Amino acid sequence: EGLISDAADIFNLQKGDIEALERFGEKSAQNIVSEILERKKINLPRFIYSLGILHVGEETARALAREFKIKSGTVKVVDILEYFRKLTPDDLQNIPDIGPVVAKSIYDWFKDAGHVRFLEKLNKSGLEILVEKPKSENGKLNGLSFVLTGSLESMSRDQAKEKIRQLGGEASETVSKKTSYVVAGSEPGSKADKAVKLGVKIIGEKEFLNLLSK
């Protein structure tokens, strides 16, 4: 119906706009507007991931969010824009798990005039970005980076990643020379092969659980 032209317009929809549409009543319109208002606050990793930057998945979005040097709190979309527009491809490559191709993709995305206008539009719509409290530097896995491959018996991979993060470590999708451990479950994939080539230590589930419980 022409009410939205991009994702930013969603946040400006009014009850009357939706109520006038076919098959929408007052209650359904109010429910939609309420849902939209609740989503005007979004955490930084999810926001970065939602931008759809080529090669930037959930783990890379988390890595980028960790580089945003600010204490926990709420920031505006333009603050995110200004921060990332200052980073060079070399700066981005210094972030764990970000290589030349991904760095160029991120750099180009934030330099694109259309993307800048989109972020400025999101900013005007009142979107707020939540920056999480920095991790404790005393976490037992602080400074360690893990890559998971294969299936674990004691927990899902998502649960394992969350435990790693809770203890101050990093959970990555890509094996590199900076990776501390590759955790190999049953039927490990090509990540284990790459770890062998790079000389990265491979541990099994039992050893991984020992690290979590030490």
Side-chain angles (χ1 to χ4, degrees), residues 11-210:
F11 296 99
N12 296 316
L13 285 173
Q14 301 298 312
K15 179 183 172 185
D17 297 329
I18 302 168
E19 194 175 349
L21 298 175
E22 187 178 352
R23 297 193 297 275
F24 283 89
E26 181 181 356
K27 185 175 181 180
S28 58
Q30 183 57 56
N31 287 341
I32 290 172
V33 170
S34 297
E35 291 280 349
I36 291 169
L37 288 174
E38 287 180 8
R39 282 154 180 77
K40 278 197 170 183
K41 287 189 176 181
I42 181 172
N43 69 49
L44 182 54
R46 184 180 290 272
F47 175 72
I48 295 172
Y49 176 62
S50 74
L51 296 177
I53 303 171
L54 186 64
H55 305 307
V56 176
E58 292 184 12
E59 295 303 328
T60 304
R62 286 179 182 274
L64 287 169
R66 285 193 293 270
E67 293 301 308
F68 191 68
K69 308 299 184 186
I70 188 173
K71 294 180 180 179
S72 59
T74 303
V75 298
K76 296 180 180 179
V77 176
V78 289
D79 296 325
I80 308 298
L81 172 62
E82 290 173 5
Y83 178 80
F84 282 105
R85 278 176 63 84
K86 291 177 182 178
L87 297 181
T88 66
D90 286 340
D91 292 332
L92 290 163
Q93 284 188 63
N94 286 328
I95 299 172
D97 305 321
I98 295 181
V101 174
V102 180
K104 186 177 187 307
S105 179
I106 297 166
Y107 177 81
D108 289 346
W109 198 95
F110 282 99
K111 291 296 182 181
D112 181 88
H115 294 153
V116 171
R117 287 194 297 271
F118 171 67
L119 292 177
E120 290 173 341
K121 191 174 178 181
L122 274 177
N123 187 71
K124 287 180 181 178
S125 70
L127 209 66
E128 295 181 312
I129 313 300
L130 304 176
V131 181
E132 296 176 351
K133 187 176 181 180
K135 294 175 184 174
S136 170
E137 293 186 0
N138 297 320
K140 64 177 72 175
L141 300 183
N142 185 60
L144 299 178
S145 173
F146 294 79
V147 173
L148 305 170
T149 182
S151 301
L152 302 177
E153 293 182 5
S154 58
M155 66 188 80
S156 70
R157 281 167 62 168
D158 283 342
Q159 289 172 328
K161 289 176 184 177
E162 189 57 35
K163 286 183 180 293
I164 290 167
R165 296 185 190 111
Q166 288 173 356
L167 295 173
E170 295 180 7
S172 173
E173 291 294 330
T174 307
V175 180
S176 71
K177 290 182 179 179
K178 298 177 182 178
T179 304
S180 306
Y181 298 100
V182 168
V183 181
S186 60
E187 299 182 10
S190 59
K191 293 175 183 178
D193 297 331
K194 187 171 182 181
V196 172
K197 291 180 181 177
L198 294 176
V200 174
K201 186 173 182 179
I202 300 175
I203 59 175
E205 183 170 355
K206 184 178 180 180
E207 193 172 352
F208 173 61
L209 294 174
N210 287 337

